[in-house]
Amino acid sequence: MNIAKPNSYRSGPDERGHFGIFGGRFVAETLMPLILDLEKAYTAAKADPAFQAEMNGYLKNYVGRPSPLYFAERLTEHLGGAKIYLKREELNHTGSHKVNNVLGQIMLARRMGKKRIIAETGAGQHGVATATLCARFGLECVVYMGAVDVERQQPNVIRMEMLGAKVMPVQSGTRTLKDAMNEALRDWVTNVHDTFYCIGTVAGPHPYPTLVRDFQSIIGNETRTQMQEVEGRLPDSLVACIGGGSNAMGLFHPFLDDPSVEIFGVEAAGHGLTQLHAASIAGGRPGVLHGNRTYLLMDADGQIQDAHSISAGLDYPGIGPEHSWLHEIGRVNYLSATDDEALAAFQLLSKLEGIIPALEPAHAIAKVMELAPKRPRDHLMVVNLSGRGDKDVPQVGDILKGKTK
Amino acid sequence: MTTRIDTRFAELKKVGRSAFVTFVMAGDPDPATSLEIIKALPKSGADVIELGMPFTDPMADGPSIQAAGLRALKVGMTLKKTLDLVRDFRKDDNATPIVLMGYYNPIYIYGVDKFPVDAKSAGIDGLIIVDLPPEEDDELCLPAMKAGLNFIRLATPTTDDKRLPAVLANTSGFVYYVAITGITGAAAADATAVSGAVARIKRHTKLPVCVGFGIRTPENAQAIASHANGAVVGTALVDALKNSLDAEGRATAKTVNAVAELTAALAQGVKGAKQAAE
């Protein structure tokens, strides 16, 4: 495709929330006034030093930032190529990168005077982060979660309930993240007067893809500084897993205008790209769902198809609109890893580094296993370790014992 | 350009009553029964037919309408077959306005240049696309207007006076006021609140204002129709259809009648209402 390259990859979206043809605001009229209010509130907050200062305080003392940039020496030796660094987002309070965004949105909700917070969650990481910050700030919290995910992510369901959130199992559709998002939108349409919808990824109607990206960009900004400190230069490549794609966007965005940095996003190929999977870019095409235009898995008639991934957090038939744009203009390379590849990577990282990753970033590690050996020894590769694997321990344990597939 | 919708509301105005607008899902529970149902609607007193376009992820609809869409998809309903259904209906009825209601993605995939033209030629008069606010007008609203279709916009309790002009700018045919903040088939619409809202919208437009979401009974329909130019009933009809199906979700001998009888009862309610003053 012949698309003009922009002067900056970081200036999007336009004032209507578009990244190229992607993004936008495709929602019911009931929600439009709220989305416009949110945009105003966010613009004001961004320009308010007090908001930034308060957020930085919580990021440091509550979340535990900055997260370390750790040289994975044994993984590097094992793969025999690029020098691999792990951005340790799994060490954040609540165990994943999700907390960065939730903190930002909860502080916005407080500015807007909202008392009730709703969220959707796949693996439960976003739900746990939302439940945590609602507890911290005394807000009512309702989390929608597909009934299938409630089943496979029990540890996180228990955590959310302990934190005082109400977890609503969603029985409609495929009973996974997509349906949880539909249900959350229905709740929002019904309770617009007092409810703030805390979206967990860089998707949804404008301004969500932008504000989530901005809140997550702390990952890439810290990585820049840390890599300069340790190696005296920028990394040569970045790797992150993608469901909706917020951890990836957070790592990638501050590096988009650095042409020397190769960037790889890893989608979930499930049972394989010709079978059930969740790789929207590899196996989908542009369509409109959940408030934005983006790559989606769908049939010839525009009906949304079921996604599948071993990882509940990647099991979504779409991807954030900015990723769709970065794919079409060729700035980011989108790859995919199967369930089996992710499981192998999960075990490798656990055994070599003593770090049990979540199944989501295990997809990124799987591609690092392919990419790193082909790079020279002075190549600096950063992989975003977006979440820890505690939540996946029972599921992976069962699989390894041959109990489930 | 005058459409069947304009003609119908002008006729109703002459006789001084409000419109009864019925919603059913295209292809529910199968295309042949669905055609029989939409043929039966005008005979039972429907003035305007809203036909749902099935979609896997109808985010503003409640469980009844979502299930209806999934039933239709299960038997292979597509957007093209929805147009075929209307084409078949038009063989016997060239007067009843038909408005397609649904979500944008299937139309986007069908093609935004091709769809309005094909829809118009199939005998469709207007479109209600739930997830296309005025901010996205150039997506489909403008091509639809160009093809001679009415683009009917939803106004809601959250649409304030400042926003109304934007919502009404490219609206034609009628304005669809959503009586509740919520999904279809949820809370009951409050006639007093609706009355105020309709009056507010009428200060901004000369278009007829129809009210939907939360209207289930003939009494309910009558109360709403006395404050508006039309009352829309969907979930109650879809539920009546569902309750007539066999255990496997297939049509029975009762199915068409179940919808027709409830339509007739609701139409009586609407016809008993005095139309709201202009």
Side-chain angles (χ1 to χ4, degrees):
Chain A
M1 205 176 293
N2 199 6
I3 301 172
K5 298 274 190 283
N7 293 326
S8 167
Y9 293 96
R10 303 190 62 192
S11 57
D14 66 17
E15 72 285 354
R16 292 170 61 207
H18 293 153
F19 302 92
I21 67 158
F22 301 102
R25 278 185 286 229
F26 298 88
V27 292
E29 172 59 26
T30 312
L31 297 179
M32 273 311 295
L34 278 99
I35 285 171
L36 296 172
D37 281 352
L38 174 63
E39 191 184 5
K40 261 189 239 153
Y42 178 55
T43 307
K46 225 174 13 177
D48 180 357
F51 180 82
Q52 295 298 342
E54 192 183 6
M55 226 179 110
N56 289 339
Y58 285 112
L59 283 168
K60 184 176 173 204
N61 299 310
Y62 190 71
V63 174
R65 300 204 73 91
S67 71
L69 183 70
Y70 162 73
F71 171 46
E73 196 176 354
R74 292 197 67 211
L75 183 66
T76 298
E77 274 171 22
H78 177 81
L79 296 175
K83 229 174 147 178
I84 300 161
Y85 282 86
L86 304 178
K87 180 60 176 163
R88 302 287 306 274
E89 289 298 300
E90 98 284 9
L91 293 178
N92 291 335
H93 181 43
T94 76
S96 80
H97 70 291
K98 295 290 185 184
V99 69
N100 307 324
N101 163 49
V102 172
L103 172 67
Q105 287 198 48
I106 294 295
M107 290 187 54
L108 261 183
R110 293 175 75 220
R111 260 176 98 96
M112 294 174 78
K114 304 285 183 181
K115 304 270 185 247
R116 179 174 180 268
I117 308 295
I118 57 169
E120 84 295 328
T121 197
Q125 295 296 76
H126 175 59
V128 167
T130 307
T132 299
L133 283 154
C134 285
R136 169 62 187 77
F137 291 108
L139 301 166
E140 183 188 347
C141 181
V142 177
V143 180
Y144 289 92
M145 189 168 183
V148 168
D149 295 338
V150 167
E151 217 32 61
R152 61 178 166 174
Q153 300 285 337
Q154 267 300 312
N156 272 347
V157 174
I158 296 165
R159 285 167 81 192
M160 284 184 270
E161 286 171 348
M162 282 176 177
L163 292 159
K166 194 169 171 192
V167 179
M168 308 284 285
V170 175
Q171 300 290 353
S172 61
T174 52
R175 299 183 294 151
T176 58
L177 181 55
K178 158 182 93 95
D179 309 288
M181 196 150 180
N182 287 334
E183 258 345 284
L185 283 163
R186 289 177 180 139
D187 180 313
W188 199 23
V189 169
T190 308
N191 299 296
V192 276
H193 58 286
D194 67 346
T195 297
F196 185 97
Y197 181 14
C198 183
I199 292 187
T201 192
V202 285
H206 176 65
Y208 282 102
T210 307
L211 67 88
V212 176
R213 173 199 74 195
D214 292 351
F215 291 139
Q216 290 295 3
S217 287
I218 192 165
I219 302 171
N221 286 328
E222 282 178 7
T223 301
R224 278 186 92 89
T225 310
Q226 290 166 325
M227 197 55 113
Q228 290 284 3
E229 281 167 10
V230 185
E231 297 275 0
R233 62 184 181 93
L234 291 182
D236 298 301
S237 62
L238 308 171
V239 189
C241 67
I242 295 184
S246 69
N247 90 84
M249 195 53 71
L251 175 64
F252 299 169
H253 202 259
F255 293 98
L256 290 176
D257 286 341
D258 297 296
S260 68
V261 182
E262 270 187 295
I263 306 182
F264 300 94
V266 184
E267 298 189 295
H271 298 314
L273 289 177
T274 55
Q275 301 172 55
L276 275 175
H277 64 83
S280 313
I281 283 184
R285 58 207 166 108
V288 175
L289 180 72
H290 292 153
N292 60 168
R293 176 168 22 235
T294 192
Y295 271 71
L296 297 171
L297 301 180
M298 59 182 139
D299 70 11
D301 198 42
Q303 304 296 337
I304 307 305
Q305 283 179 326
D306 299 351
H308 163 80
S309 168
I310 190 172
S311 150
L314 304 183
D315 197 350
Y316 179 68
I319 182 170
E322 194 168 5
H323 284 295
S324 295
W325 178 70
L326 291 169
H327 162 68
E328 288 214 340
I329 59 174
R331 176 63 187 99
V332 175
N333 303 299
Y334 291 89
L335 312 170
S336 60
T338 62
D339 288 354
D340 289 346
E341 289 172 323
L343 265 177
F346 179 99
Q347 294 171 80
L348 186 76
L349 192 72
S350 302
K351 285 180 181 153
L352 284 181
E353 296 288 353
I355 297 171
I356 300 179
L359 281 170
E360 289 81 2
H363 287 73
I365 303 288
K367 289 296 117 169
V368 168
M369 288 162 66
E370 271 178 35
L371 294 167
K374 294 176 191 153
R375 299 292 187 280
R377 286 184 182 274
D378 63 349
H379 181 105
L380 305 177
M381 182 176 281
V382 176
V383 50
N384 200 7
L385 202 65
S386 58
R388 60 178 172 245
D390 307 27
K391 70 184 175 63
D392 297 316
V393 164
Q395 188 195 356
V396 174
D398 283 352
I399 293 169
L400 296 180
K401 280 183 225 142
K403 278 192 196 163
T404 54
K405 274 200 155 182
Chain B
M1 187 182 326
T2 306
T3 65
R4 289 186 193 90
I5 299 173
D6 302 327
T7 308
R8 178 57 46 103
F9 279 100
E11 288 164 2
L12 289 169
K13 194 175 176 182
K14 260 189 218 159
V15 298
R17 73 167 177 87
S18 296
F20 177 40
V21 183
T22 54
F23 171 96
V24 291
M25 183 62 75
D28 178 27
D30 62 78
T33 309
S34 186
L35 178 61
E36 292 311 307
I37 290 169
I38 60 172
K39 280 181 176 176
L41 292 173
K43 291 175 190 141
S44 310
D47 298 304
V48 177
I49 296 173
E50 263 184 39
L51 197 54
M53 296 178 279
F55 184 51
T56 39
D57 294 79
M59 64 186 179
D61 284 300
S64 291
I65 289 177
Q66 181 176 25
L70 294 178
R71 279 196 297 273
L73 290 173
K74 204 174 157 195
V75 296
M77 202 60 192
T78 62
L79 191 50
K80 188 180 166 297
K81 288 181 187 170
T82 301
L83 300 187
D84 293 342
L85 193 64
V86 176
R87 214 172 274 119
D88 287 343
F89 171 82
R90 281 283 170 244
K91 288 175 188 163
D92 304 324
D93 185 330
N94 200 33
T96 307
I98 294 199
V99 175
L100 292 184
M101 181 170 191
Y103 296 81
Y104 182 41
N105 197 52
I107 295 174
Y108 180 67
I109 296 306
Y110 189 104
V112 282
D113 296 324
K114 195 165 174 283
F115 179 77
V117 177
D118 289 0
K120 181 75 183 175
S121 83
I124 285 152
D125 305 292
L127 300 177
I128 301 175
I129 309 299
V130 179
D131 52 354
L132 282 180
E135 281 75 4
E136 304 290 349
D137 262 2
D138 38 0
E139 291 282 336
L140 180 65
C141 174
L142 302 182
M145 285 166 70
K146 208 175 130 207
L149 293 169
N150 289 131
F151 203 82
I152 294 145
R153 189 84 68 198
L154 303 176
T156 72
T158 59
T159 316
D160 60 16
D161 279 318
K162 215 173 116 217
R163 185 168 167 78
L164 258 176
V167 168
L168 296 170
N170 288 323
T171 300
S172 61
F174 62 93
V175 180
Y176 188 135
Y177 181 68
V178 176
I180 52 167
T181 58
I183 52 177
T184 52
D190 169 29
T192 314
V194 163
S195 159
V198 171
R200 183 165 70 87
I201 294 168
K202 282 187 169 290
R203 284 198 291 274
H204 293 265
T205 181
K206 291 195 178 344
L207 288 171
V209 180
C210 296
V211 176
F213 284 46
I215 305 173
R216 295 193 71 93
T217 63
E219 295 71 29
N220 223 196
Q222 178 168 1
I224 297 294
S226 65
H227 297 296
N229 304 107
V232 190
V233 179
T235 299
L237 293 173
V238 168
D239 286 344
L241 185 156
K242 186 197 77 186
N243 294 337
S244 75
L245 302 176
D246 69 15
E248 273 80 50
R250 289 174 306 214
T252 65
K254 293 182 202 153
T255 300
V256 176
N257 268 345
V259 180
E261 280 164 20
L262 181 57
T263 301
L266 289 160
Q268 279 311 108
V270 174
K271 283 167 190 171
K274 196 172 167 298
Q275 187 172 9
E278 290 295 314

